[in-house]
Amino acid sequence: MTPRRAEVHRATSETDVRVALDLDGGIVRAATGVPFFDHMLDQLGRHARVGLEVEASGDLEIDAHHTVEDTGIALGEALTRALGDKRGIRRYGDALVPMEESLAQAAVDISGRPLLAYHAPIEADAVGLFDVGLTEEFLLALARAGGLTLHVRLLAHRNPHHAVEAIFKAVAVALGDALTPDPRRGGEVPSSKGTL
Ligand SMILES: [Mn+2]
């Protein structure tokens, strides 16, 4: 099988982001200057069971917004490239993930039709330097650049660290399943249209 890997370098006046993604596994590490975001990217890589290396330097003197959003875009672009024509993948994945008292649900369709449906009424403003609202911004950027239909629901929560972490893990598990090759597909593109 062709290696399912991609490297993306995205540089703007606001950020410089490098992402190396291997859909079939590998090293996971993240250095973005936002420690909690690194922790979440680490969870994303590990629980999606992919190789994921992220290096980002951004205008953190403003806030973490551009860095988080642009990392989502670069990761989505890497995902699109690594998936290629999407032959043989499962296409769909879903997960229900507890993190202590928090419970998050995610469903993904690697559809080529970007959409994020996000419901996570977390009351806290931030975890460390990471504004809780950036979770949605990251997932929106990932869905758009990665061509994902992504539904996320936070079903229970109290601690904001647990809540955000449950969301990242649920997305990771769902996405990791969706991008997995299914031998019963026989290398077909998983769409009645013949293209995704
Ligand atoms: Mn944690």
Side-chain angles (χ1 to χ4, degrees):
M1 204 171 77
T2 334
R4 301 196 304 158
R5 288 197 293 260
E7 287 184 26
V8 168
H9 178 212
R10 194 171 184 281
T12 70
S13 59
E14 296 169 342
T15 64
D16 189 296
V17 183
R18 287 176 192 276
V19 170
L21 178 66
D22 187 331
L23 301 186
D24 297 302
I27 293 165
V28 175
R29 67 177 158 221
T32 66
V34 185
F36 183 76
F37 187 43
D38 292 347
H39 179 38
M40 293 303 98
L41 291 170
D42 188 72
Q43 300 291 355
L44 187 63
R46 285 177 202 286
H47 294 288
R49 296 140 284 156
V50 296
L52 176 63
E53 293 176 79
V54 179
E55 265 183 61
S57 58
D59 52 1
L60 297 179
E61 69 283 3
I62 299 175
D63 65 10
H65 192 110
H66 300 141
T67 301
V68 171
E69 186 174 34
D70 291 355
T71 299
I73 293 170
L75 178 58
E77 286 175 359
L79 180 64
T80 297
R81 288 196 213 165
L83 281 167
D85 62 9
K86 300 172 186 157
R87 276 178 197 284
I89 61 167
R90 285 187 193 170
R91 179 178 164 179
Y92 298 100
D94 68 276
L96 183 63
V97 171
M99 171 81 199
E100 302 200 24
E101 85 298 336
S102 294
L103 182 66
Q105 189 168 39
V108 64
D109 176 7
I110 300 175
S111 61
R113 291 189 299 279
L115 182 139
L116 175 67
Y118 183 86
H119 181 73
I122 302 169
E123 275 143 34
D125 290 335
V127 184
L129 302 175
F130 185 87
D131 291 344
V132 164
L134 292 178
T135 310
E136 183 172 5
E137 296 303 319
F138 173 77
L139 294 174
L140 183 60
L142 175 64
R144 282 184 178 150
L148 306 176
T149 302
L150 179 60
H151 285 251
V152 173
R153 286 272 178 288
L154 184 64
L155 302 177
H157 71 288
R158 190 175 64 245
N159 177 292
H161 181 132
H162 295 162
V164 174
E165 189 163 343
I167 289 169
F168 271 85
K169 285 175 165 174
V171 169
V173 173
L175 182 59
D177 286 355
L179 58 77
T180 298
D182 182 342
R184 290 177 299 166
R185 293 269 190 214
E188 292 296 307
V189 175
S191 168
S192 56
K193 297 186 186 74
T195 181
L196 277 174

